[in-house]
Amino acid sequence: MQVSGVVWVLTVLGIVGLLLFDFFFHVRKAHIPRLREAALWTSIYVSIAILFGVGVWIFGGSTMGAEYFAGYVTEEALSVDNLFVFLLLMASFKVPRADQQKVLLFGIVVALLARTGFILLGSALINSFAWIFYVFGLILLITAGNLLRKKHDDGEEPDNFVIRLARRFLRTSDHYDGDKLVTYQDGKRVLTPMLLVMVAIGGTDILFALDSIPAIFGLTQNVYLVFTATAFSLLGLRQLYFLIDGLLDRLVFLSYGLAAILALIGVKLVLHALHENSVPFINGGDPVDVAEIPTVLSLGIIIGVLVITVIASLLSPKGRARTAQAAARRHATEFLDVETDPAYCDEIYHKLLVEEENLKRLPEKYRARVRGESELMALLERAHRVHEERVAAGSCFAART
């Protein structure tokens, strides 16, 4: 199906409108999204994406509909995996909870712009060089292998060349000034850490695109479907972050599921490349008669793998232990070093007590591992000590050390 220029313009305007709505009605005024708000807007954005897919299915046919949904589900799953890194970045830069929304929205805009550029580049390469499918397939197979070795270490600070460059060249103040990018320190205008974390999130988003764009091109070569599936997977990412924040560490098998999905798409790309082969040293430059994986089958496998991955993660004792341990560490760090609002300090401390109770209810094997985490135990002891000092002083900020 050929997509007219009018449809393209209306689609882009609709996406820009959703981003502007998100900024002016949710992000402009710093606040901490509650679970109900995050759930409501996540469901709205997912519903918009599904309704759009239904429209594609009706007006473009079942093949285009299946391609869109396969691309959207895959990109959404990759986005959830990316949230692990966002969570670590927020903790690393000690971004106050109320200001995290603006950072995330900035990252989404950068990701959308960067991925649009990669989509146009990928489309041009595909139209000019059939062998590029081999390259895309190899990238995904390597990425799948890397995911199998990947571990989300709660104490490991994210580090890539974008973050290193940002830390080196962007000199910032030591403290945040709300969500401002510029503040005054000793009478001089200086950058705040907010700009640094925005650069880190945006740069990390660009690196993520190097994996996600080949993945979706393995499911459809229709540029309109690639763009819309990618855009809709990103639009609801901010709300999704606050909705499943506490469950991210529970998804212990997500990397394995994503590795299986990317390997499937990588094989699909290689098979397609063989079918369209023009490389001289493969079959003399002639196409190879191989069976290709239908898009409908790909969609079914992708959904099936994700369902199995999520269910296995939620039922896993390892996932439950990891969730409680990571949440306790995060709440203690926020209470001690990040948050400044007294009411939210009390709320965080209450959450910390809940997670400590969850740790006590773990099987002995996992409790022993927690006790062996000397850094975590020292952090929890410090949080309790500082809480007692603050209560005695009648201030959330007393005895901050």
Side-chain angles (χ1 to χ4, degrees):
M1 184 185 84
Q2 294 296 323
V3 179
S4 67
V6 173
V7 173
W8 266 104
V9 170
L10 291 175
T11 302
V12 172
L13 288 176
I15 291 170
V16 172
L18 287 172
L19 288 171
L20 291 174
F21 174 84
D22 219 10
F23 176 76
F24 285 105
F25 289 92
H26 293 113
V27 177
R28 191 176 186 183
K29 182 179 180 181
H31 71 284
I32 302 171
R34 298 301 177 185
L35 183 62
R36 182 177 179 182
E37 176 187 341
L40 173 64
W41 286 103
T42 297
S43 62
I44 288 174
Y45 276 100
V46 171
S47 298
I48 291 173
I50 292 174
L51 290 174
F52 182 85
V54 171
V56 170
W57 198 296
I58 292 172
F59 294 103
S62 59
T63 299
M64 283 191 67
E67 288 179 354
Y68 166 81
F69 279 113
Y72 172 72
V73 171
T74 300
E75 290 296 302
E76 194 69 44
L78 289 170
S79 295
V80 171
D81 190 55
N82 296 346
L83 290 181
F84 280 103
V85 180
F86 291 169
L87 190 65
L88 292 174
L89 277 170
M90 297 292 187
S92 170
F93 288 98
K94 298 181 179 179
V95 183
R97 187 75 165 173
D99 299 325
Q100 292 180 4
Q101 291 197 93
K102 183 168 286 188
V103 175
L104 288 169
L105 186 60
F106 175 83
I108 289 169
V109 172
V110 170
L112 190 54
L113 293 174
R115 295 185 192 200
T116 298
F118 280 121
I119 288 168
L120 296 176
L121 176 61
S123 177
L125 290 173
I126 287 171
N127 290 331
S128 302
F129 310 104
W131 52 262
I132 201 66
F133 286 110
Y134 287 115
V135 177
F136 283 179
L138 182 61
I139 289 174
L140 294 183
L141 290 173
I142 292 174
T143 303
N146 289 336
L147 280 173
L148 291 177
R149 298 195 302 270
K150 175 177 163 186
K151 292 183 180 179
H152 296 296
D153 188 344
D154 301 305
E156 181 182 353
E157 181 176 319
D159 185 39
N160 58 51
F161 75 93
V162 175
I163 297 176
R164 291 195 295 271
L165 285 175
R167 288 186 184 277
R168 181 176 179 181
F169 293 105
L170 293 179
R171 301 299 180 182
T172 65
S173 64
D174 296 328
H175 304 289
Y176 290 90
D177 185 5
D179 57 6
K180 295 178 182 178
L181 301 181
V182 179
T183 189
Y184 285 90
Q185 183 173 284
D186 299 327
K188 297 179 181 179
R189 289 188 71 182
V190 294
L191 301 174
T192 70
M194 181 63 69
L195 180 62
L196 186 61
V197 70
M198 282 186 172
V199 171
I201 290 282
T204 304
D205 273 327
I206 293 174
L207 296 180
F208 288 152
L210 298 176
D211 296 332
S212 68
I213 297 306
I216 194 168
F217 268 117
L219 297 167
T220 177
Q221 285 83 60
N222 186 308
V223 177
Y224 182 75
L225 296 184
V226 172
F227 172 75
T228 51
T230 301
F232 282 120
S233 71
L234 290 171
L235 283 175
L237 197 57
R238 179 187 62 81
Q239 295 84 352
L240 189 64
Y241 173 86
F242 290 97
L243 177 63
I244 67 173
D245 179 5
L247 291 176
L248 280 175
D249 298 292
R250 189 73 176 264
L251 301 177
V252 290
F253 299 125
L254 180 62
S255 292
Y256 298 104
L258 289 176
I261 292 170
L262 293 180
L264 167 70
I265 300 174
V267 171
K268 181 179 171 70
L269 277 168
V270 172
L271 291 176
H272 182 73
L274 289 170
H275 194 265
E276 303 288 332
N277 180 61
S278 60
V279 178
F281 56 83
I282 298 179
N283 198 37
D286 295 325
V288 181
D289 186 18
V290 294
E292 295 196 63
I293 303 174
T295 302
V296 174
L297 177 60
S298 300
L299 176 59
I301 294 174
I302 290 169
I303 293 176
V305 168
L306 289 176
V307 169
I308 293 172
T309 297
V310 171
I311 292 176
S313 295
L314 294 178
L315 296 178
S316 165
K318 178 182 177 182
R320 189 158 57 92
R322 179 173 172 171
T323 302
Q325 187 173 340
R329 177 184 285 108
R330 188 160 58 249
H331 293 326
T333 303
E334 289 177 348
F335 176 75
L336 289 167
D337 301 322
V338 178
E339 297 299 337
T340 57
D341 180 79
Y344 193 51
C345 280
D346 291 339
E347 184 178 332
I348 292 173
Y349 188 74
H350 175 72
K351 290 180 179 179
L352 175 61
L353 295 179
V354 171
E355 295 304 335
E356 286 184 309
E357 288 300 317
N358 290 335
L359 288 172
K360 292 176 183 177
R361 289 196 292 267
L362 293 173
E364 175 55 31
K365 177 176 70 172
Y366 295 106
R367 293 203 305 272
R369 291 180 183 176
V370 173
R371 291 193 296 270
E373 292 276 349
S374 57
E375 183 180 344
L376 174 60
M377 298 307 294
L379 184 67
L380 297 178
E381 290 176 6
R382 181 182 163 217
H384 289 299
R385 184 179 70 253
V386 171
H387 173 72
E388 292 174 358
E389 293 171 353
R390 292 177 184 173
V391 170
S395 170
C396 178
F397 314 110
R400 184 180 288 275
T401 60

